[in-house]
Amino acid sequence: MISIFLKEVNEFLDSLIAYVVIGVFLVGIGLLMWVFPDTNVLDYGYASMEPLFSLGPYMFMFLIPAITMKSFAEEKRSGTIELLQTLPFRDSQIIMGKFLAGFFLVLFSVLPTIIYYYSLSYLSNPVGNLDTPGIIGSYLGLIFLGGVFTAIGILASALTGNQIVSFILAAFLCFFFYAGFDAVAEINLWADWSYYISELGIMAHYTSISRGLLDFKDVVYFGSLMALMLLFTQLTLGFGK
């Protein structure tokens, strides 16, 4: 698993697309935080990282599929997927190695945004007047969300041998699991079932953690969804046969 993890990370960081994708993500978040009139904290007048945590998931829908799109799609296109399955690795090691590599790259992309915390802390009046526990909770929510989106991206990559198709499919699935259930729940049709439908989606659990409340049911939800996506990946690839 470690060898696959290192191979995936090195291959991604050796390509130009890695720095383009990460650069676009960070520039986009920076513009939303500091420049765009409807979202920047300077015009808002309140020391808050809300733009990052409310709009970050939508930026993730493009960042993470770009990171994961070649995980298995490239192996299938080049024909090396069969060779990979004959190596002395367990199926779980192959999938987890690729998943952890993608997750690490997501964390690597998010890490520079900590600069925004220190910038806001310095600009606030008095200095340091920030809701630090809430920000920590929001970062935890973003990390859990990154893990789920990575697992979805790995599954999408396993479903096709084309990286572009993998990217589009992953972006769609990430959007559906994040906001789709809430949109369906808002249809005036479900009555008392609307709450339970929205609870199936990611947004309700992400919002809960982002408030600084780390509920066990939310952790179980994210962990279960990641495990389910990786299990579907294994079934899709036919590993273990």
Side-chain angles (χ1 to χ4, degrees):
M1 186 171 67
I2 294 175
S3 62
I4 293 173
F5 169 83
L6 293 175
K7 169 182 171 292
E8 291 291 315
V9 172
N10 287 333
E11 283 186 358
F12 186 79
L13 294 179
D14 282 343
S15 65
L16 178 62
I17 190 172
Y19 302 98
V20 172
V21 167
I22 294 173
V24 168
F25 170 74
L26 292 175
V27 169
I29 290 294
L31 291 173
L32 290 169
M33 281 280 298
W34 304 103
V35 179
F36 291 162
D38 293 332
T39 59
N40 80 80
V41 295
L42 299 177
D43 288 344
Y44 185 47
Y46 183 73
S48 170
M49 295 184 68
E50 179 64 22
L52 169 62
F53 300 121
S54 61
L55 300 173
Y58 296 98
M59 298 294 291
F60 267 8
M61 292 175 194
F62 296 94
L63 168 71
I64 296 178
I67 290 175
T68 61
M69 64 182 182
K70 65 172 293 186
S71 296
F72 284 107
E74 180 63 21
E75 302 275 9
K76 294 172 76 171
R77 187 197 65 80
S78 62
T80 56
I81 186 68
E82 291 82 6
L83 175 62
L84 189 62
Q85 290 176 275
T86 62
L87 294 175
F89 299 136
R90 293 196 298 271
D91 51 2
S92 59
Q93 291 176 328
I94 296 172
I95 295 171
M96 284 302 297
K98 288 181 176 289
F99 167 74
L100 291 175
F103 188 45
F104 170 80
L105 291 167
V106 172
L107 296 180
F108 180 76
S109 303
V110 172
L111 187 62
T113 64
I114 295 177
I115 296 173
Y116 303 154
Y117 170 80
Y118 289 103
S119 300
L120 281 175
S121 178
Y122 178 77
L123 291 172
S124 60
N125 185 21
V127 173
N129 185 28
L130 289 176
D131 180 16
T132 300
I135 290 174
I136 292 173
S138 296
Y139 265 113
L140 286 175
L142 209 57
I143 289 170
F144 280 122
L145 184 68
V148 170
F149 280 6
T150 301
I152 291 174
I154 294 293
L155 172 61
S157 184
L159 288 169
T160 178
N162 186 296
Q163 293 188 42
I164 303 301
V165 174
S166 171
F167 175 87
I168 295 171
L169 180 60
F172 169 76
L173 290 175
C174 287
F175 176 79
F176 176 78
F177 277 97
Y178 182 75
F181 285 95
D182 276 64
V184 172
E186 289 177 2
I187 299 174
N188 189 21
L189 181 66
W190 312 109
D192 294 338
W193 287 95
S194 295
Y195 169 77
Y196 299 102
I197 293 173
S198 66
E199 284 291 301
L200 292 174
I202 296 173
M203 185 182 290
H205 301 275
Y206 173 75
T207 303
S208 176
I209 294 179
S210 295
R211 295 193 186 107
L213 178 63
L214 188 59
D215 195 313
F216 180 69
K217 73 172 184 177
D218 296 322
V219 176
V220 171
Y221 172 84
F222 280 111
S224 300
L225 191 53
M226 279 185 266
L228 188 63
M229 292 299 147
L230 295 177
L231 175 61
F232 284 157
T233 301
Q234 180 173 340
L235 294 175
T236 298
L237 293 170
F239 283 7
K241 290 184 179 180

